[in-house]
Amino acid sequence: MRKKVNEYLDIKTVLFKSQNVLLLRTSSIEQKSKTAFIICEGSSLSIDELNIPYKWDPYLKVPNKREYKRTLDGDIIMMYFPFECKGLEDAGRDLSYYINENMYSYDNIVIIGHSKAGVCIANMARMITRKAIFIFVSAPFEGTIINGTEKVKAMLSNKEYQIFRKYYTQHAVDLDVWPKSSFLKNVADFSGIKKHFCVNVISECKDIYTCKDIVFKYFAARMGYKHSDGLVLVSSQESLTQMYPLLKTVYIDASHAESLKRLLSANRDDYIID
């Protein structure tokens, strides 16, 4: 079971903490593996000087030491965006600093970014001084109108919008993936992926497997999304592949909330649609 984040959550495995990045190891004991997996689910979490959480995304839970170890053989490091984070460029710069300065003992580094974290690490790829493996999952490289709350409000009923606002909070890293954001228009540079091995995982919610799929299918229908994972259009996810045709691309059947889990699940082949 994942640990629900609250002010009583005991966090003992903080590897790195800055204004823009928080890195936690899922196990209190380093495995001394030759491979490290840095996983960012696109969630936000802030902790104080005593490593006690004081702000977090609604209903956020952190994985236990066994969850990802079932399918990933190596040291598992979780990345979160503190609410104080200035944006995706700054988060990528701080993460690259930690990797360049502290992870030289690993033979392999695999960086997995879901949603806006996928955009963050794709932009960060140019800052890494060594070759790494990058996996982008459900990443809105052309943004997502989910951040245009006025348009969302116009498409939903008042009750639906109130529910939406309970789950969704806007801060700097979210605003960076608004389609007209200054970050996407003037700052983002994904050219660094050419020097790494990268996989672009594009999710589209086709079939229903879980209750979350139902919710995201419903939201997509209300927003008029024909091809999406419920939050991000397939075309936005595909734009990186269009910019870099040699990029390995995989399509999976998953809603936005389930795509990372299905990609890394033991039966992930069941969800591959192309």
Side-chain angles (χ1 to χ4, degrees):
M1 294 288 290
R2 285 192 165 203
K3 296 180 180 179
K4 185 175 180 179
V5 176
N6 55 47
E7 61 271 24
Y8 303 108
L9 180 65
D10 186 17
I11 297 177
K12 298 179 179 178
T13 56
V14 178
L15 300 179
F16 180 71
K17 179 172 63 173
S18 72
Q19 178 180 354
N20 303 297
V21 167
L22 176 62
L23 298 177
L24 310 176
R25 185 183 286 118
T26 58
S27 173
S28 59
I29 302 175
E30 186 176 358
Q31 300 301 312
K32 303 298 183 182
S33 171
K34 291 297 183 180
T35 300
F37 295 90
I38 300 176
I39 304 173
C40 187
E41 300 176 344
S43 302
S44 294
L45 170 66
S46 292
I47 60 176
D48 63 17
E49 63 278 2
L50 298 176
N51 297 337
I52 297 173
Y54 65 88
K55 193 172 184 180
W56 53 88
D57 279 338
Y59 310 108
L60 178 64
K61 295 181 179 180
V62 297
N64 59 35
K65 63 182 180 181
R66 294 181 297 277
E67 179 174 337
Y68 286 120
K69 287 293 291 183
R70 294 170 182 169
T71 53
L72 301 177
D73 184 15
D75 290 335
I76 310 297
I77 299 170
M78 298 300 300
M79 170 184 159
Y80 297 93
F81 298 108
F83 280 79
E84 302 78 22
C85 181
K86 294 180 179 179
L88 297 181
E89 172 79 359
D90 296 273
R93 186 179 297 111
D94 285 8
L95 178 59
S96 66
Y97 167 81
Y98 179 80
I99 293 172
N100 292 336
E101 296 295 324
N102 297 282
M103 302 190 72
Y104 45 82
S105 62
Y106 290 101
D107 291 343
N108 304 294
I109 297 176
V110 183
I111 309 167
I112 305 172
H114 175 260
S115 192
K116 57 181 173 282
V119 180
C120 176
I121 67 171
N123 179 64
M124 181 202 68
R126 58 190 164 87
M127 307 176 193
I128 300 294
T129 57
R130 55 172 293 179
K131 287 188 176 181
I133 298 172
F134 287 79
I135 303 176
F136 321 113
V137 186
S138 304
F141 294 107
E142 288 187 338
T144 170
I145 64 169
I146 194 67
N147 289 327
T149 53
E150 290 303 315
K151 185 167 185 178
V152 175
K153 187 175 182 179
M155 300 294 286
L156 301 179
S157 69
N158 183 62
K159 185 175 182 179
E160 290 170 337
Y161 183 71
Q162 294 306 315
I163 295 173
F164 164 78
R165 291 297 291 158
K166 287 183 179 180
Y167 285 87
Y168 177 75
T169 56
Q170 278 191 327
H171 43 290
V173 289
D174 293 312
L175 295 176
D176 275 349
V177 290
W178 165 242
K180 298 180 181 180
S181 73
S182 175
F183 170 76
L184 289 178
K185 289 170 58 178
N186 305 315
V187 179
D189 179 358
F190 305 133
S191 62
I193 70 171
K194 293 185 291 185
K195 66 178 183 179
H196 303 283
F197 179 79
C198 301
V199 182
N200 191 19
V201 180
I202 297 169
S203 59
E204 181 174 1
C205 191
K206 290 179 172 289
D207 297 315
I208 301 296
Y209 297 95
T210 68
C211 292
K212 289 181 181 179
D213 292 341
I214 295 174
V215 172
F216 280 80
K217 278 279 248 186
Y218 177 81
F219 182 79
R222 296 290 285 136
M223 293 299 298
Y225 286 172
K226 290 184 178 180
H227 299 288
S228 76
D229 61 9
L231 288 186
V232 182
L233 292 170
V234 168
S235 58
S236 182
Q237 301 174 59
E238 287 178 326
S239 63
L240 189 70
T241 298
Q242 293 172 353
M243 284 188 280
Y244 303 100
L246 297 180
L247 174 68
K248 181 176 176 58
T249 302
V250 177
Y251 289 81
I252 64 173
D253 183 359
S255 63
H256 193 78
E258 298 281 14
S259 55
L260 180 60
K261 178 180 177 180
R262 289 182 188 166
L263 174 70
L264 300 179
S265 68
N267 60 335
R268 55 187 173 272
D269 290 343
D270 294 343
Y271 304 113
I272 302 298
I273 57 178
D274 186 27

